[in-house]
Amino acid sequence: MSIVAKVMKLVNREDTNQKLLASEMALIRKQIKGVNMVDQFATYARLNRKLNALTDKYKEKMNARTTANQKVRMCVQMGLQAVVGISCLWLVYQHRSFPVVSLDPDLLWPIGGILAMPSCQVGEISVLVWLGMTRTVSRKLSQYITNVRQSAANAASLDPLSIALD
């Protein structure tokens, strides 16, 4: 579970008014099931109008809650991105002249100068380049894992009859 999901779980709680509306709606639905529409049309229509009014109120509250949750989610995500960005800038600033890895210059021959940018010697990998490489690798790995999970979910949801017919 991600940090954003944990924060949203703490913030995203149904208030007592929404719980009360939901319980009233459930009670009215039970009452409607017990009323014969043909014999007691006035009662049925009154209960149905009341249910529709409560449903509209509940939907309004849910829309307001969804909007507020989206704002909170966006603020939390932006805050975390700012913390990560500032941490990366601090890391690059503090370790700008220290290599992450020092190798024989012949091993990195064609791209050794690029990997050493901006302030390391040829054969060394700078912090800035290292952060870029780890970001790229982690993004590709995340995409791969997501694709594997989606393909596994799609394979599990296939209908056995459609597979047998093919």
Side-chain angles (χ1 to χ4, degrees):
M1 183 179 254
S2 69
I3 295 172
V4 176
K6 288 181 182 179
V7 171
M8 292 306 297
K9 191 174 181 180
L10 290 174
V11 173
N12 190 16
R13 299 242 167 113
E14 197 172 37
D15 64 346
T16 56
N17 291 335
Q18 287 177 324
K19 288 180 183 179
L20 183 64
L21 279 174
S23 65
E24 281 184 52
M25 288 169 39
L27 181 65
I28 291 175
R29 282 190 186 109
K30 282 183 183 178
Q31 289 175 355
I32 287 176
K33 284 183 181 179
V35 173
N36 187 353
M37 186 169 83
V38 175
D39 295 339
Q40 300 170 335
F41 181 74
T43 306
Y44 181 83
R46 182 180 51 81
L47 287 173
N48 212 359
R49 284 191 303 270
K50 192 173 182 181
L51 179 63
N52 289 340
L54 286 175
T55 303
D56 290 341
K57 282 183 186 178
Y58 187 78
K59 285 181 181 178
E60 287 176 15
K61 288 187 181 284
M62 287 301 293
N63 287 338
R65 186 171 147 212
T66 301
T67 303
N69 285 342
Q70 288 174 345
K71 289 178 184 177
V72 169
R73 178 180 295 269
M74 185 179 69
C75 289
V76 169
Q77 285 176 337
M78 288 174 59
L80 287 173
Q81 286 177 352
V83 167
V84 169
I86 290 170
S87 299
C88 287
L89 287 174
W90 177 82
L91 186 67
V92 168
Y93 178 74
Q94 289 293 321
H95 301 286
R96 64 187 175 273
S97 60
F98 299 110
V100 175
V101 177
S102 294
L103 300 170
D104 184 28
D106 294 335
L107 290 175
L108 304 174
W109 171 70
I111 58 171
I114 296 171
L115 294 176
M117 290 175 72
S119 60
C120 291
Q121 302 295 322
V122 175
E124 299 175 340
I125 299 176
S126 68
V127 173
L128 187 62
V129 172
W130 184 261
L131 287 174
M133 289 189 313
T134 55
R135 179 179 179 202
T136 303
V137 168
S138 62
R139 188 180 326 133
K140 293 290 184 186
L141 185 62
S142 174
Q143 288 173 353
Y144 175 74
I145 291 171
T146 303
N147 291 340
V148 168
R149 285 183 181 169
Q150 286 176 352
S151 64
N154 290 341
S157 67
L158 290 176
D159 184 22
L161 290 177
S162 65
I163 294 172
L165 294 175
D166 289 341

